[in-house]
Amino acid sequence: MSWNLRESAAKWDGQPWSVGVDLTQPSIQFYNAAQLPVLDIAVTPRDRHTKQSTVGLPLGEAYVRQKDLIAIFPESAPGRFGYQMDMRVLPHVQLNSFAMEIWLSVQTSLLDSNPQLELQLRGEAFKLSADNCWTSESSRLGLLVHPLDQQDCQIESVQDGLAMRVFGRFMEKGVIRRMRFQLIATSEAQPARFWQERFEEFSESPLPLTT
């Protein structure tokens, strides 16, 4: 299985899960076996300490490299920075489950910038578990943030989802910051131990060679 990319839209078809990506927004949608949406993720870039929004930053390039879908949004006025999204579907952690790892990076050519990406996760209510692992009320969805990246990530529960803000600190010209997280969906409710094991595996995993 691999990504099917056509212009600014991509799809990954698996069994029983599938993913759709709209790179003009951008947004990511997870679908279950019945092709019903279970999670929607909208990504919005902005400069944390200015009123100038970078909403609508156009897609510069998108391509598939091995198992990764890579989308690049270069810095362009009125934006104060550029960013990149790398998405990879992972081997199933168990039958009828789905996992995807996402790497985000930001870079600026300006002398003073505070780039931030805001992710709105919509599907159902989430609650915080140990080690910055968020799980849905049904215990079928999980968000894992790598321990090395948690200081650059703020998450809060909102109605029917999560608000996730990454980066936001001052950046000097030419600096690149990266972070990664995982999204896991399962067909059945999972105990706390399941999510703890997934977090431990993620914490111990090496950095991908393609980043």
Side-chain angles (χ1 to χ4, degrees), residues 19-128:
V19 184
V21 182
D22 181 355
L23 296 173
T24 61
Q25 300 297 322
S27 62
I28 306 169
Q29 297 83 34
F30 288 8
Y31 299 90
N32 60 17
Q35 288 300 299
L36 297 175
V38 296
L39 185 65
D40 181 90
I41 307 165
V43 183
T44 303
R46 73 182 183 96
D47 192 298
R48 183 179 180 184
H49 293 299
T50 70
K51 296 181 179 180
Q52 194 169 27
S53 173
T54 51
V55 174
L57 192 64
L59 173 68
E61 182 182 9
Y63 58 93
V64 176
R65 181 174 61 193
Q66 298 180 9
K67 297 181 180 180
D68 303 339
L69 171 63
I70 300 170
I72 300 173
F73 300 83
E75 181 181 329
S76 60
R80 298 171 57 86
F81 66 94
Y83 70 100
Q84 179 173 320
M85 299 172 55
D86 295 36
M87 294 153 276
R88 174 184 294 182
V89 177
L90 303 173
H92 294 310
V93 290
Q94 71 173 34
L95 187 64
N96 293 329
S97 66
F98 170 88
M100 186 167 75
E101 188 163 316
I102 300 177
W103 316 296
L104 301 173
S105 64
V106 291
Q107 182 177 16
T108 181
S109 65
L110 302 180
L111 294 176
D112 58 340
S113 181
N114 296 270
Q116 186 173 65
L117 298 177
E118 294 187 354
L119 291 81
Q120 296 289 331
L121 288 74
R122 300 290 184 182
E124 58 179 287
F126 279 72
K127 58 185 178 181
L128 177 63

Side-chain angles (χ1 to χ4, degrees), residues 7 12 31 64 76 78 131 171 183 208 210:
E7 297 181 352
W12 185 92
Y31 299 90
V64 176
S76 60
D131 295 317
M171 281 183 61
L183 293 162
T210 54

Side-chain angles (χ1 to χ4, degrees), residues 123-155:
E124 58 179 287
F126 279 72
K127 58 185 178 181
L128 177 63
S129 301
D131 295 317
N132 210 25
C133 172
W134 290 79
T135 56
S136 65
E137 292 290 346
S138 67
S139 292
R140 296 181 181 181
L141 298 172
L143 168 67
L144 315 178
V145 178
H146 195 277
L148 296 178
D149 302 316
Q150 290 181 8
Q151 70 174 20
D152 269 340
C153 181
Q154 296 179 325
I155 305 175

